[in-house]
Each structure stands twice: as structure tokens, then as C-alpha cells.
Amino acid sequence: MSSAWIDLSNLKKPLKFNDFSVNFNTDLYNAKPLPSDIQKKLDERWNELLNDAKPGRILYNQSKFRLHSIETKTNDNDDSIQLILNLGLTDYKSFICTQQQSLPDDIRQHITEDHLSHPLGVGSLLITSDNYIVLIKRSSACIDLPNMYDIPGGHAEPRNLKTYSKENIIEEIISSTIAECVDETNVDRNSLLIDSFFFVIAVVRNQPQYGRPAIEFCLRTSMTSSELQQCYNLQTHMEAYETSEIKFWPIDKISDLLNSSQTLLSITPACHMYHLSTQYNKWLFTVEELKELRTKANNDYVQKKNSMNCLTVDEEAMVLRYYELQLKDFCDKFEPPMTKMAIAVCMQYFKRFYLNNSVMDYHPKDIYLICVYLTCKTEELRISITDFLSNIKNSTNIDQTADILLSYELLLIEKLNFQLVIHTAYRPFEGLIIDLKTHYLRDNVNDADRLRLTGYEFLDKTLLTDVYFLFPPSQIALTALLFASVKAAVHIDEYILKHIYGSLESAQMQKIKETIRLIANVVSTPAKFKKSEVKQIVEKLDKCYNMDNDPRSDEYKKKRLEQFQTLTDYEARNLP
């Protein structure tokens, strides 16, 4: 799965709001017509949506500009960039039918990139004078992304233009962006700093919606967040029916907003970059997929060695559990102390590595140390290799261990596909505790502290399970909070109902409750083993693992020497 949003423009710096151009050509940039039988089926689906729409549901068809592609040109004199949008025409019906709705394979297989609607959306990162980002919650009446937080936005409207001149289209894109801010938030138009702080920041495509495009702006208002809240509460704006709430997010906490593990808000991809993370796109699986990956890693090694004395998949799982406990214990005793988030990152590096590699190919006794060493770098735990090695109490050859760390570090990074950012549940859990203290436990700080300590116990247990491969961190954090409330006997039902479940529809609430139950079940039923049995399996591992990958072995040293010689020969032939 690819990242949810792709930045097409890759702008080095924001552009002035009117510093872009358009090429409009319906012959070149419109979507290709679909086969008549497929178009007929889509028309039928559209009519079904209209007929099945609930009272008050917002669904209608209007023409839109279609983004075919973009061009960027650099001015050689000052390195400034000119952004050009290649536009045709489409309509909202085509978008809903080809990109927003799930389609049966017998229809989807006939729809290519050239058939897709790709209506050009507009959005604005609206910032208040007291430095808050403005989010609006989309109404349940919206057919597209209902009940989700978003930045103000919509579409430029071709029907507003008498002629499709370049100047008119540019003006419509700009004016519609401003209008959406006003119509969705009730911000005073005169407060918008259009002349001094209005920029183009990106042109993006939403991959889950088959490349749906949008041009994103950044705009400031001279109003404070409280002033804007008061205006919004008047409900006098034109599109009040499209939103149900306005929310303000501190701009200095934008990294938390852009990180799925930092917030429990249901946010659209335009402002919620969790779906951009490799954790979401590359490292979330089903239980069956995890089993298949581990079985494949085991089978690949067995076939390569062609031996009957290899470990089974279940035996590998027991070995990994044994070394996970050793790794957790090593991290808990590490000096200087590692944060809980750093320990969680380290544990996930270890788990990710052995999702696609067998313990027989790379011995865990080495890999778990490399995971800690790499975590010290990625989590900015500044420590010299000498101080790191002082934490290894049972090493008989410190110099050899140092060589192993240095020789295996790049291997670990490669096996992790260079995807080193790990989103843990500790930070969103801390956010929940802070929110609780603010809204509900203001006079019972001790209760909040008890929840924190008990919740951490739950989160620590998750590190020895597959829960991070199965669920987003925010859901794990919520489960930890509910677990802590029961165990610590702190009643937070009112907070959960009002602040967590309050804005959800019944089906969404039931889905979250089921997810919480599944997470709790995974954490409460960890794999168990007998120490004597594991000891026998570890001894078996020592007899069947790949010596070619053991930095202590003559085979490994010979292989590294051959690689070095090959590189040296290449340099001798090709470098001046």
C-alpha cells in the first residue's frame, strides 16, 4: 500500500496565493469516456445513492475542474518556481461513482487512470492570530467523509464563470478557497490577511480515493480562536449545515496533529497525516497476514538450507519470545535510562526485523543489541559506543561486540526498509490523561496519576504482543485508559461518553468498542512457554543457524572480504 497523500508539487517554499497558472483544455485534459455498459452501471449506482439518501443528506451533481497533471518550471534568474495546473472539466457525480465509492471488481477493472474524475479540491490551513489551526467537523449529512475533522475547503466552481479564461479560472480557485473559509467557519472576511499571509503550500493527491487532487493554501486571520468560536456559534454562515463543530489546534503542536498516534480525532487525510506514515501503510496486518509472513520466512530458510534439523515456525516464535523478554529487561536496566517510548520503538524494530527474517538466518542475540543501538540514534539518546558497550555485562570480547554493532547496523536499517519512524501509544495516552485532568479530574489529580501508572502497566504489556501490527496507537491508548479506569477504580464513564463517544454514531461507537475488546484480548493472552523447553530450542538454534551471517565466524569474515575486494576492484576500474 502506498502513502495516502502524494505531494505532486514538491515546493521548496510556499508560493504567493496568485503565483500559479493554469492551462485549460477539455480536449486534452478531460477524462476519457467509459464503455457504455460500465457508464450505465455507474449511472444506476448514482441513482441508487440519490434514492437511498437519508433526509438532509447532502448529495448533488455540479461541474468541477478536473486536474489532469501539473507542471513546475524554475526561473534560472532567482530559482523561483512557477506552478501550472493542467485542467479540464468533470462533475461531482463522476467523482462519487469512480473514486469515492467502493466498486465491484467487474466494474473497477474497466476504470483506468484516464477515466477517473479527479475534481480539483481547494483547502486552506486557516491560522488564528493566537496561533491556532482551525479544524471543522464535517456533518453527518455529508456524503463524503462524514463526521470527520477537516480543514476548511471545497471545490472551485466552473458554473460561476462565463468564460474559461486563464485569469477567470485562477480567480475562481482563489476566491473559492476564501469563500470556503468564510462559509464553513463564519470567519470575518475582512479579518483574512489575504495580501500579507496567503500562500500556496502544496498540490496533493489522495491515494485511497484513487488520486483525488487538491490545491492547499495557508491563510491567516486577525481573529483570535475565541473570537472565531463566538462567530461560529452564531450559525449564520452559509454552509453551517455542512459542519457540526469547530476545533482549534495549537500550531506548535502541529506535529502531534499530523501524527495518528498523537490524537484520537477522526480526521480527514487532508489534515491527518497518520495515513502518510509507513507504519499505517506498510506495517499494519491481519492476524492471518502475520502468520503467513512468519511462515514464509521460516520456509525460505528451510528450503535454502535443505535440512531437516531446522526450527519450526512455532519454535521460532518461542525463541523470539525468549529474546523479547531479554531485550525488554536490557532496555529497562539501560544507562542512561531509556524512555518508555524509546523502549517501545526498540521492541518494534526487533519485531519488524523478524517478520520477514528467520531467527536461523540472523541470530537474535546480536539483532536485539543492534535494535537498542539504532534506537539510541533515532530517539536521540545521545551516547557514545563506549558507554553503550558498558551496558553489556556478560560480553567476553567488547571489541568484537563493537564490530558486530557497526557491521550489523546498516543491515538492520535495510531489513526495516529504511522505515525507522515508530508511532507508539504512550504519547496519545498521555494526551488522554491531560485531557481528563482538564475536563473531568481537575479536582482529583491523584486519580489521574493512578490512571497514568496503571495505564503504563498495560502499555508495557503490549510491547510483548503483536498489537502494534494490528491496531493504530491511538486505539491502543484508549484501551489502556479504559483498562486503567477499571483496575484503578477511577470512574470516567461520563468523560468517555461525552468526549470520546459523544460525537459518534451508533455504528462507529460499536466498532470502537469491538476494537477495544480485541486489543484487550491480545494483551491479556500473551504467548507462554516453559523455560526448560525454550532452553532446548535455543540450543537447537545454535546448531542450525546461518554461520555465514555470524560476524564471529570465518565464513562471515570471508564473505565480507570478498565483498570488499569486489568493491575495491570496481573502484580501481571505474574511478579516476
Side-chain angles (χ1 to χ4, degrees), residues 343-366:
I343 295 173
V345 168
C346 183
M347 297 292 289
Q348 283 306 111
Y349 285 164
F350 186 78
K351 283 179 169 291
R352 286 184 178 187
F353 182 90
Y354 285 110
L355 204 56
N356 297 298
N357 297 280
S358 169
V359 297
M360 295 177 286
D361 227 353
Y362 301 96
H363 204 296
K365 67 183 179 184
D366 296 322

Side-chain angles (χ1 to χ4, degrees), residues 296-521:
K296 181 180 184 301
N298 178 271
N299 290 342
D300 287 348
Y301 183 82
V302 172
Q303 292 175 9
K304 179 172 64 176
K305 288 299 180 181
N306 193 23
S307 172
M308 300 297 293
N309 297 320
C310 295
L311 301 187
T312 65
V313 176
D314 291 340
E315 287 173 334
E316 284 206 50
M318 294 176 69
V319 169
L320 286 174
R321 175 72 174 181
Y322 171 77
Y323 278 102
E324 284 171 7
L325 291 169
Q326 286 202 13
L327 172 57
K328 180 70 165 57
D329 183 65
F330 183 82
C331 290
D332 288 339
K333 297 176 181 177
F334 195 82
E335 292 294 338
M338 297 177 70
T339 65
K340 287 186 176 293
M341 283 186 287
I343 295 173
V345 168
C346 183
M347 297 292 289
Q348 283 306 111
Y349 285 164
F350 186 78
K351 283 179 169 291
R352 286 184 178 187
F353 182 90
Y354 285 110
L355 204 56
N356 297 298
N357 297 280
S358 169
V359 297
M360 295 177 286
D361 227 353
Y362 301 96
H363 204 296
K365 67 183 179 184
D366 296 322
I367 297 301
Y368 90 74
L369 289 176
I370 313 299
C371 289
V372 182
Y373 186 60
L374 179 60
T375 301
C376 289
K377 296 184 176 183
T378 59
E379 293 301 297
E380 298 186 359
L381 183 61
R382 294 174 177 84
I383 183 172
S384 68
I385 191 168
T386 302
D387 291 338
F388 181 90
L389 292 169
S390 67
N391 284 277
I392 306 173
K393 307 302 182 183
N394 57 352
S395 177
T396 57
N397 190 331
I398 290 294
D399 291 337
Q400 185 183 66
T401 303
D403 289 341
I404 293 172
L405 288 173
L406 297 175
S407 63
Y408 259 20
E409 183 182 10
L410 183 57
L411 169 76
L412 174 61
I413 296 173
E414 289 176 342
K415 294 295 184 181
L416 295 176
N417 297 322
F418 300 91
Q419 295 160 2
L420 305 181
V421 177
I422 304 289
H423 304 303
T424 75
Y426 288 94
R427 188 167 292 167
F429 176 76
E430 190 64 29
L432 285 170
I433 295 296
I434 293 171
D435 196 49
L436 256 173
K437 291 169 70 174
T438 303
H439 291 103
Y440 190 68
L441 297 177
R442 189 174 301 173
D443 300 323
N444 299 282
V445 176
N446 290 337
D447 284 349
D449 291 338
R450 285 163 53 210
L451 284 174
R452 178 184 285 109
L453 292 175
T454 311
Y456 278 165
E457 292 177 10
F458 180 89
L459 293 178
D460 289 347
K461 291 179 180 178
T462 66
L463 303 183
L464 297 172
T465 72
D466 284 335
V467 74
Y468 279 98
F469 287 136
L470 302 170
F471 305 98
S474 58
Q475 296 176 359
I476 301 170
L478 178 58
T479 307
L481 179 65
L482 295 174
F483 168 86
S485 70
V486 173
K487 188 171 181 180
V490 178
H491 300 291
I492 59 172
D493 294 352
E494 182 181 342
Y495 169 80
I496 295 296
L497 290 173
K498 182 177 180 181
H499 293 274
I500 304 298
Y501 295 153
S503 60
L504 301 178
E505 294 182 349
S506 177
Q508 292 175 307
M509 189 186 305
Q510 290 304 317
K511 185 176 180 180
I512 290 180
K513 288 181 177 179
E514 175 62 15
T515 299
I516 290 170
R517 186 190 66 79
L518 291 172
I519 294 172
N521 186 57

